[in-house]
Amino acid sequence: MESGKEIIPLSYSEVFEKHCPYYMAIGMSYDDFWNGDCSLVRVYRQKAKLELSMQNRLLWMQGRYIYDAVGALTPVLHAFAKQGAKPHKYIEKPYPITEEELKAEEERRIAEQRKQFRESMIRLAEESAKKFKKGGDRP
Amino acid sequence: MAKVIEFTYKDKDYTLEFTRKTVERLEKEGFSLSDLGTKPMTAIPLFFRGAFYANHRFEKQEVIDEIFKKLPDKDELVQQLGVIYSQPFSDLFDEPEEDEGNVSWKVGKK
């Protein structure tokens, strides 16, 4: 032994007393910790992990919303902003996060792409028709 | 789920289990797992009685002694009691693994 002191291992009771505040902090009741099913602590640990992960995700999302908000203000948010400059529009709706929302968003995006493609094809057809007409008018 | 030992004695169902509180109570009464090897004559009966605290705390000592006398395969019983006694401690550190299930015991006749 380096220090010459004997290390006395903690008794089970001491270990329980040491850990009890942690489990109470993650939502376990005092009674559940001491008198309940002893394996409940595993569930609470899992719960704490999930909560931490969810909180992390929420904070990340909040960061993205702030980033978008600041980004939307960039035209007016600097010293040399032009007179009459207006901020960009802030995103119209929250980011899709659930599976249904993501699916709906993907469908909306595809529909929008199709619409744009159709409109560009119509424009192209109109322009070539005009050109053709001009060419046809030539003597 | 916590591991338990289940048996029926004189038409009464028993579930032997340890909670953190009953482990603490046993330790306050002077029990330590290491005593099972060094002082088995006093440690084993105390250990067995402690397993009743969680679900049958008012069971009479005579009945507990009677049950202990009639339970077969005492070595294995004490070993299994050791497993369920350690669970309130080990669950604080272990990650979930496959549950081996509870242990059923039959009370034999002498």
Side-chain angles (χ1 to χ4, degrees):
Chain A
M1 207 80 31
E2 272 178 32
S3 62
K5 282 183 185 170
E6 192 187 350
I7 295 171
I8 302 165
L10 295 175
S11 68
Y12 279 8
S13 310
E14 286 167 323
V15 174
F16 298 158
E17 269 164 28
K18 200 176 149 199
H19 283 80
C20 182
Y22 167 74
Y23 284 96
M24 287 177 75
I26 60 171
M28 193 172 190
S29 72
Y30 183 85
D31 190 54
D32 272 346
F33 181 81
W34 287 101
N35 301 311
D37 185 322
C38 63
S39 62
L40 262 180
V41 289
R42 294 177 176 208
V43 181
Y44 275 96
R45 278 206 305 275
Q46 196 65 24
K47 171 186 169 277
K49 266 189 201 170
L50 284 172
E51 275 178 354
L52 185 66
S53 161
M54 277 159 59
Q55 199 180 15
N56 192 21
R57 196 180 163 84
L58 280 174
L59 289 171
W60 181 82
M61 291 251 300
Q62 193 179 35
R64 274 196 64 174
Y65 284 124
I66 293 170
Y67 182 89
D68 281 345
V70 173
L73 291 173
T74 46
V76 292
L77 209 65
H78 57 92
F80 309 107
K82 284 178 189 168
Q83 276 279 322
K86 283 183 180 172
H88 296 308
K89 264 175 84 180
Y90 182 60
I91 47 167
E92 282 176 352
K93 52 188 177 180
Y95 298 128
I97 44 172
T98 63
E99 213 165 285
E100 292 83 19
E101 284 173 348
L102 284 167
K103 203 177 163 190
E105 177 64 19
E106 181 66 7
E107 280 168 5
R108 193 201 57 75
R109 196 182 59 79
I110 291 170
E112 182 66 25
Q113 271 182 352
R114 281 187 185 146
K115 192 182 159 197
Q116 281 177 4
F117 180 71
R118 198 171 51 242
E119 281 171 0
S120 67
M121 291 310 282
I122 290 168
R123 254 197 324 272
L124 202 69
E126 283 171 355
E127 278 170 19
S128 36
K130 272 183 197 167
K131 277 181 189 169
F132 185 72
K133 206 179 169 188
K134 275 182 188 173
D137 287 346
R138 262 187 231 158
Chain B
M1 290 289 285
K3 280 195 173 64
V4 297
I5 291 179
E6 293 168 325
F7 59 85
T8 306
Y9 180 69
K10 288 187 178 170
D11 295 331
K12 186 176 172 184
D13 293 330
Y14 286 89
T15 304
L16 304 190
E17 182 183 2
F18 285 102
T19 64
R20 292 188 181 83
K21 194 46 103 182
T22 60
V23 168
E24 186 190 49
R25 184 172 163 188
L26 258 184
E27 284 189 340
K28 276 183 182 160
E29 288 175 8
F31 176 77
S32 162
L33 265 186
S34 58
D35 292 344
L36 291 174
T38 54
K39 298 180 259 181
M41 293 303 282
T42 51
I44 292 175
L46 177 61
F47 190 32
F48 190 65
R49 193 176 76 211
F52 285 76
Y53 290 160
N55 300 313
H56 314 281
R57 80 176 80 160
F58 300 115
E59 195 59 271
K60 286 178 185 164
Q61 186 59 48
E62 301 90 70
V63 178
I64 295 173
D65 290 342
E66 207 178 295
I67 293 170
F68 187 67
K69 271 184 201 161
K70 291 189 175 173
L71 283 174
D73 202 0
K74 290 197 176 44
D75 284 350
E76 178 65 16
L77 173 69
V78 172
Q79 207 176 327
Q80 289 298 336
L81 280 174
V83 171
I84 63 171
Y85 178 82
S86 302
Q87 201 189 346
F89 175 79
S90 59
D91 275 345
L92 290 175
F93 308 102
D94 294 347
E95 286 308 314
E97 54 192 48
E98 265 187 42
D99 192 4
E100 289 167 20
N102 293 327
V103 183
S104 291
W105 228 267
K106 276 192 173 177
V107 183
K109 284 180 184 170
K110 220 176 176 183

